[in-house]
């Protein structure tokens, strides 16, 4: 009907502030589940040869962190912690040396010497209600990760598809 609802004004006032906040008024911290090409630009032995050599997801959140739009804490959860030393080196090269003022630091789950398929649970359990969980993992894992994060009060953004079958 074209009329403006009170909820529209509420949303607009939230957006005008420039950043979302958790229920207790803090900027939301970010957990990214997945560490591949779209997240970090790192694929097994080095930088992706595609247009995603610096990744997309981590780079965006590093930028948002530098602008004060998300909290200072960014973590990445994957299955194999052994890849994180190479990912850190890669991100330092493609982000810190290229984009002045951006930090490529992140927490990682599991530890560098561990392999743990459910490391996302350990990571999610360290975050608070209202924090963000961004999912970029193989399609068949999206549903269980999203459910775990939602049940702990996190906001979830999931690459498609959420599930293969209903």
């Amino acid at each position: 009907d074209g009329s403006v609802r009170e909820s529209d004004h509420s949303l607009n006032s939230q957006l005008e502030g420039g950043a979302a906040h958790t229920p207790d008024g803090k900027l939301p911290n970010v957990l990214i589940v997945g560490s591949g090409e779209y997240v970090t630009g790192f694929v097994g032995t080095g930088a992706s040869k595609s247009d995603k050599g610096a990744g997309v997801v981590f780079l965006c959140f590093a930028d948002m962190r530098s602008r004060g739009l998300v909290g200072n804490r960014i973590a990445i959860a994957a299955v194999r912690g052994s890849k994180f030393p190479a990912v850190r080196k890669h991100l330092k090269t493609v982000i810190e040396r290229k984009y002045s003022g951006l930090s490529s630091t992140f927490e990682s789950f599991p530890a560098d010497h561990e392999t743990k398929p459910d490391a996302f649970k350990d990571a999610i359990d360290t975050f608070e209600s209202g924090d963000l969980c961004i999912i970029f993992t193989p399609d068949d894992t999206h549903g269980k990760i999203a459910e775990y994060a939602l049940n702990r009060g996190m906001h979830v953004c999931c690459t498609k598809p959420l599930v293969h079958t209903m």
Side-chain angles (χ1 to χ4, degrees), residues 23-77:
D24 60 359
K26 297 182 206 168
L27 289 171
N29 288 305
V30 180
L31 169 62
I32 304 167
V33 183
S35 61
E37 181 179 27
Y38 281 95
V39 173
T40 65
F42 187 82
V43 289
T45 59
S48 168
K49 303 295 184 216
S50 76
D51 61 347
K52 292 166 218 51
V56 175
V57 180
F58 182 84
L59 177 59
C60 288
F61 282 105
D63 182 60
M64 291 172 72
R65 173 174 57 190
S66 77
R67 296 170 187 263
L69 298 173
V70 296
N72 287 325
R73 183 176 180 217
I74 298 176
I76 299 177

Side-chain angles (χ1 to χ4, degrees), residues 3-163:
S3 64
V4 177
R5 298 180 308 272
E6 185 165 333
S7 61
D8 292 337
H9 291 294
S10 174
L11 176 61
N12 286 338
S13 65
Q14 286 178 320
L15 294 175
E16 287 169 7
H21 291 84
T22 63
D24 60 359
K26 297 182 206 168
L27 289 171
N29 288 305
V30 180
L31 169 62
I32 304 167
V33 183
S35 61
E37 181 179 27
Y38 281 95
V39 173
T40 65
F42 187 82
V43 289
T45 59
S48 168
K49 303 295 184 216
S50 76
D51 61 347
K52 292 166 218 51
V56 175
V57 180
F58 182 84
L59 177 59
C60 288
F61 282 105
D63 182 60
M64 291 172 72
R65 173 174 57 190
S66 77
R67 296 170 187 263
L69 298 173
V70 296
N72 287 325
R73 183 176 180 217
I74 298 176
I76 299 177
V79 172
R80 290 183 305 109
S82 61
K83 75 187 294 185
F84 285 128
V87 168
R88 282 188 182 87
K89 182 178 178 184
H90 167 74
L91 289 175
K92 189 162 193 71
T93 299
V94 298
I95 292 179
E96 289 188 19
R97 294 182 185 158
K98 188 170 186 176
Y99 300 98
S100 178
L102 289 188
S103 169
S104 64
T105 60
F106 64 92
E107 295 175 44
S108 56
F109 295 85
D112 291 356
H113 63 279
E114 292 183 316
T115 296
K116 192 170 185 183
D118 285 347
F120 70 89
K121 291 180 179 178
D122 294 338
I124 289 169
D125 289 344
T126 70
F127 282 81
E128 297 178 13
S129 177
D131 284 335
L132 310 175
C133 180
I134 313 302
I135 304 169
F136 272 82
T137 58
D139 293 351
D140 63 338
T141 64
H142 295 170
K144 69 180 180 181
I145 297 167
E147 180 180 26
Y148 196 85
L150 288 167
N151 284 334
R152 278 144 189 85
M154 295 184 81
H155 297 284
V156 173
C157 179
C158 183
T159 187
K160 60 178 170 90
L162 183 58
V163 294

